[in-house]
């Protein structure tokens, strides 16, 4: 009875299979759609593998959705790459260590002006006491003068000494000058860390752009490959029908093979570029990274001829602080001629005995304090030679600073001009690739209809492909020019924050 009722009209079958292809779950189907179906519909469902197919489709859809969601979470744009590099690259730890080293150098120099306290304990066992000679004719303690030299030993077999020394520096020009050098030294450590951050942003941006442009090239070549594959199928059908020559099919095959070869080269280059990006990030090469389809680089519509101050660049700030440090070193060389003054205090104890067991019983103490003045008189002109060396170093550093300022001015000017040219070139190539695509699509359609020659089709394809490659190159040049200008201005950190 049920089988005879399962000869479904067309509309019933469409309702059930529409529910299947729309991905309706089994529970939804049973609770919502099933009551609306006729008895014949239900028989059809029972006698087919609909539920199994629907369940399988639902599971596949859920798995694909989960994979897409996971992949979406793994996509890396430029800002995420830079953030990862700034947080995980090992050079950060090196420069952070240098900052801590500069802080400890400051503590080391400050410690020299704190009280210096030390203790000393010495135990001596004399196997043979030192022998002293009393000359002939010497009178000791009111005794008559000796008629010959007499040998005598002073001291005991066991002697113990304990000393506690304290010293406070009151004036030392060399130390005072050294303390002045702590500020530029700390500034240099911080600026080196900042410069490393800027270098990471620059290197990661360049590596990311290279990989993204290659990925774009792969997408375009894949699109062209699919177009020529379809065109080859059409040509083969035309050859079979006798409306096209076999030579035409061979020429299309050659063009398709060339695109396939270019695609393989681009994929290989992309893999290398991604590995370079991982290295710039400080990431293990074995890790997997999937780049986002968006470059997310702010374009610069207008490049103003703004005043550029090279003194704001990290490199110039570094050289300026190094010049300050050389000034301190010059003063340190001259400070060697100044006297030093310190206060000291000492407390000592001693114990003597010929028996070891009794050597620690009786102690004799004494103490003293005073001032110690050290006056350098002549050092063979050593300090003078050191000072002259530092003067030469300062003069060279000043000249290098001036040359760097001029070089950065030139770099900024060139980067500005380069960006202007790159922007115009990008706009021209963008227009050109649109025109080339329009021509190629029109000729491809005419070729399919048999109203144009294959040579015209291949020429249009070559022109279109060249326009695409030129556009990709122009895009790379433009984004590179943007980053170069940010580097020339010393605003790479601001560039990263605005991504």
């Amino acid at each position: 009875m049920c089988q005879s009722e399962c000869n479904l009209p067309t509309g019933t079958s469409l309702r059930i299979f529409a529910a299947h292809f729309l991905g309706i779950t089994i529970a939804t189907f049973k609770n919502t759609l099933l009551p609306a179906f006729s008895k014949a519909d239900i028989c059809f469902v029972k006698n087919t593998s609909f539920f199994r197919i629907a369940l399988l489709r639902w599971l596949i859809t859920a798995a694909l959705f989960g994979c897409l969601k996971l992949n979406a979470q793994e996509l890396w744009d430029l800002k995420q790459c830079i953030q990862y590099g700034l947080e995980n690259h090992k050079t950060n730890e090196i420069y952070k260590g240098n900052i801590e080293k500069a802080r400890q150098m400051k503590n080391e120099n400050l410690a020299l002006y704190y009280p210096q306290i030390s203790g000393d304990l010495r135990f001596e066992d004399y196997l043979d006491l030192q022998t002293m000679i009393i000359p002939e004719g010497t009178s000791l303690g009111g005794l008559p003068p000796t008629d010959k030299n007499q040998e005598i030993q002073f001291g005991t077999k066991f002697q113990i000494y304990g000393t506690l020394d304290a010293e406070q520096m009151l004036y030392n020009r060399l130390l005072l000058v050294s303390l002045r050098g702590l500020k530029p030294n700390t500034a240099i450590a911080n600026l080196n860390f900042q410069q490393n951050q800027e270098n990471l942003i620059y290197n990661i941006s360049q590596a990311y752009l290279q990989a993204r442009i290659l990925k774009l090239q792969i997408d375009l070549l894949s699109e062209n490959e699919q177009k020529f594959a379809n065109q080859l199928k059409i040509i083969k059908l035309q050859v079979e029908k006798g409306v096209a020559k076999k030579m035409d099919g061979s020429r299309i095959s050659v063009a398709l093979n060339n695109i396939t070869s270019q695609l393989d080269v681009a994929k290989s280059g992309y893999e290398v570029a991604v590995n370079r990006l991982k290295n710039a990030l400080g990431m293990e090469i074995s890790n997997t990274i999937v780049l986002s389809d968006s470059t997310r680089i702010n374009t610069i519509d207008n490049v103003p001829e703004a005043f550029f101050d090279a003194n704001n660049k990290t490199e110039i700030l570094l050289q300026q602080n190094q010049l300050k440090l050389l000034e301190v070193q010059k003063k340190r060389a001259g400070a060697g001629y100044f006297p030093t003054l310190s206060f000291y205090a000492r407390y000592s104890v001693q114990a003597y005995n010929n028996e070891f067991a009794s050597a620690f019983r009786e102690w004799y103490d004494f103490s003293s304090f005073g001032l110690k003045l050290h006056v350098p008189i002549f050092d063979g002109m050593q300090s003078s030679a050191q000072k002259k060396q530092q003067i030469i170093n300062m003069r060279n550093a000043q000249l290098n600073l001036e040359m760097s300022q001029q070089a950065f001015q030139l770099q900024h000017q060139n980067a500005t001009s380069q960006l202007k040219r790159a922007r115009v070139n990008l706009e021209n190539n963008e227009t050109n690739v649109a025109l080339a695509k329009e021509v190629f699509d029109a000729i491809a359609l005419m070729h399919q209809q048999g109203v144009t020659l294959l040579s015209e089709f291949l020429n249009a394809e070559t022109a279109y492909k060249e326009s695409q490659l030129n556009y990709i190159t122009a895009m790379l040049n433009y984004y590179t020019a943007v980053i170069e200008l940010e580097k020339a201005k010393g605003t790479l950190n601001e560039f990263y924050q605005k991504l």
Side-chain angles (χ1 to χ4, degrees):
M1 179 67 179
C2 183
Q3 291 179 354
S4 62
E5 295 176 352
C6 286
N7 296 322
L8 300 179
T10 305
T12 302
S13 302
L14 289 176
R15 288 200 304 271
I16 295 177
F17 281 101
H20 164 58
F21 283 110
L22 287 174
I24 302 299
T25 63
I26 296 176
T28 304
F29 180 82
K30 286 183 177 180
N31 297 331
T32 306
L33 299 180
L34 195 58
F37 288 164
S38 65
K39 188 175 181 181
D41 295 339
I42 298 173
C43 290
F44 175 80
V45 170
K46 289 181 179 179
N47 289 297
T48 62
S49 58
F50 174 78
F51 283 108
R52 292 193 298 271
I53 296 174
L55 177 61
L56 179 60
R57 184 175 181 83
W58 182 83
L59 292 175
I60 293 174
T61 303
L64 289 175
F65 178 78
C67 292
L68 291 174
K69 184 176 181 182
L70 180 61
N71 288 337
Q73 294 175 346
E74 294 176 349
L75 293 180
W76 290 61
D77 59 17
L78 178 55
K79 188 168 187 177
Q80 289 173 314
C81 289
I82 294 176
Q83 182 179 358
Y84 181 91
L86 295 180
E87 293 175 355
N88 297 279
H89 204 281
K90 293 182 179 179
T91 54
N92 285 324
E93 297 301 321
I94 296 175
Y95 287 100
K96 287 179 181 178
N98 290 337
I99 293 176
E100 177 62 20
K101 179 181 177 181
R103 192 177 72 86
Q104 295 303 327
M105 288 179 63
K106 177 180 178 180
N107 294 337
E108 178 185 4
N109 282 272
L110 288 174
L112 296 177
Y113 247 98
Y114 293 151
Q116 307 296 309
I117 302 175
S118 62
D120 182 46
L121 182 64
R122 188 169 78 251
F123 172 80
E124 295 180 348
D125 180 2
Y126 289 92
L127 301 178
D128 291 310
L129 294 175
Q130 184 178 0
T131 300
M132 306 291 293
I133 301 297
I134 300 178
E136 180 182 354
T138 302
S139 177
L140 297 176
L143 298 176
T146 58
D147 56 355
K148 61 179 182 180
N149 293 338
Q150 293 188 357
E151 297 179 356
I152 187 171
Q153 292 180 327
F154 292 98
T156 60
K157 178 176 177 55
F158 299 103
Q159 300 181 18
I160 305 171
Y161 305 91
T163 303
L164 183 65
D165 290 309
E167 184 175 0
Q168 173 62 57
M169 183 62 64
L170 299 178
Y171 178 77
N172 188 326
R173 184 172 178 82
L174 183 60
L175 290 180
L176 292 174
V177 172
S178 297
L179 291 176
R180 296 175 185 173
L182 297 177
K183 186 176 181 179
N185 188 60
T186 303
I188 288 173
N190 287 307
L191 288 170
N192 279 328
F193 177 78
Q194 179 179 334
Q195 186 180 38
N196 178 65
Q197 297 273 291
E198 294 176 356
N199 290 337
L200 286 175
I201 294 173
Y202 178 79
N203 293 334
I204 292 172
S205 299
Q206 292 282 16
Y208 181 88
L209 285 178
Q210 291 287 342
R212 277 294 300 121
I213 294 301
L214 282 170
K215 182 63 170 63
L216 180 59
Q217 183 178 357
I218 290 173
D219 294 340
L220 292 175
L221 288 172
S222 298
E223 181 182 353
N224 290 337
E225 184 183 38
Q226 184 61 39
K227 288 181 179 179
F228 268 80
N230 295 334
Q231 190 68 28
L232 182 60
K233 292 179 182 178
I234 296 173
I235 288 293
K236 287 182 177 179
L237 291 175
Q238 292 176 346
V239 170
E240 292 176 358
K241 294 180 179 180
V243 295
K245 299 179 180 179
K246 186 177 180 181
M247 179 68 67
D248 294 342
S250 299
R251 295 176 67 181
I252 293 291
S253 296
V254 170
L256 178 61
N257 292 335
N258 289 336
I259 293 176
T260 302
S261 299
Q262 293 174 0
L263 183 58
D264 292 338
V265 173
K267 288 180 178 179
S268 177
Y270 176 73
E271 183 178 353
V272 173
V274 170
N275 287 336
R276 288 176 179 171
L277 176 60
K278 293 178 185 178
N279 182 65
L281 295 174
M283 180 185 291
E284 295 292 336
I285 300 298
S286 59
N287 290 357
T288 301
I289 179 173
V290 181
L291 302 186
S292 169
D293 291 336
S294 173
T295 51
R296 291 183 61 184
I297 293 181
N298 295 329
T299 59
I300 301 177
D301 297 330
N302 296 311
V303 185
E305 299 291 344
F307 173 75
F308 170 68
D309 186 8
N311 292 322
N312 294 327
K313 286 184 63 69
T314 305
E315 294 87 345
I316 296 297
L317 295 175
L318 267 171
Q319 289 183 304
Q320 290 174 344
N321 279 277
Q322 288 168 352
L323 191 60
K324 293 178 181 178
L325 192 58
L326 289 174
E327 174 69 22
V328 172
Q329 292 175 356
K330 184 193 76 171
K331 292 181 178 179
R332 287 183 77 254
Y337 289 115
F338 287 80
T340 61
L341 179 65
S342 61
F343 169 82
Y344 73 92
R346 174 177 295 172
Y347 176 77
S348 302
V349 293
Q350 296 178 335
Y352 308 92
N353 209 295
N354 286 318
E355 299 294 334
F356 179 79
S358 303
F360 300 91
R361 292 180 180 178
E362 287 190 59
W363 293 88
Y364 305 91
D365 61 340
F366 62 95
S367 60
S368 64
F369 69 90
L371 296 174
K372 183 167 61 176
L373 179 66
H374 173 74
V375 180
I377 298 176
F378 182 71
D379 64 350
M381 305 302 292
Q382 179 182 1
S383 297
S384 176
Q386 291 175 348
K387 185 176 181 179
K388 291 178 180 178
Q389 291 178 47
Q390 295 303 326
I391 292 175
I392 296 173
N393 290 336
M394 285 183 60
R395 183 169 65 249
N396 292 341
Q398 181 63 41
L399 293 174
N400 287 328
L401 176 60
E402 294 173 0
M403 289 189 295
S404 296
Q405 289 173 333
Q406 295 175 357
F408 287 131
Q409 289 284 353
L410 178 61
Q411 183 184 27
H412 178 264
Q413 183 177 355
N414 291 340
T416 302
S417 301
Q418 181 182 0
L419 180 59
K420 290 179 179 179
R421 292 192 299 269
R423 184 184 61 193
V424 173
N425 191 30
L426 178 62
E427 293 173 352
N428 293 337
N429 279 279
E430 187 175 4
T431 303
N432 192 40
V433 75
L435 293 174
K437 183 179 185 304
E438 183 179 350
V439 172
F440 174 74
D441 291 341
I443 293 182
L445 180 61
M446 294 170 62
H447 180 64
Q448 292 176 7
Q449 297 173 348
V451 296
T452 186
L453 298 176
L454 178 62
S455 59
E456 294 184 10
F457 170 78
L458 293 177
N459 290 336
E461 179 274 331
T462 300
Y464 180 42
K465 185 169 62 176
E466 288 180 356
S467 67
Q468 288 177 326
L469 294 177
N470 291 336
Y471 176 72
I472 292 174
T473 302
M475 183 182 296
L476 175 62
N477 292 338
Y478 175 74
Y479 285 135
T480 300
V482 171
I483 297 174
E484 291 292 343
L485 181 59
E486 297 291 350
K487 179 182 179 182
K489 294 190 300 183
T491 55
L492 283 170
N493 278 307
E494 290 81 356
F495 160 78
Y496 159 62
Q497 296 296 334
K498 293 177 181 179
L499 286 176

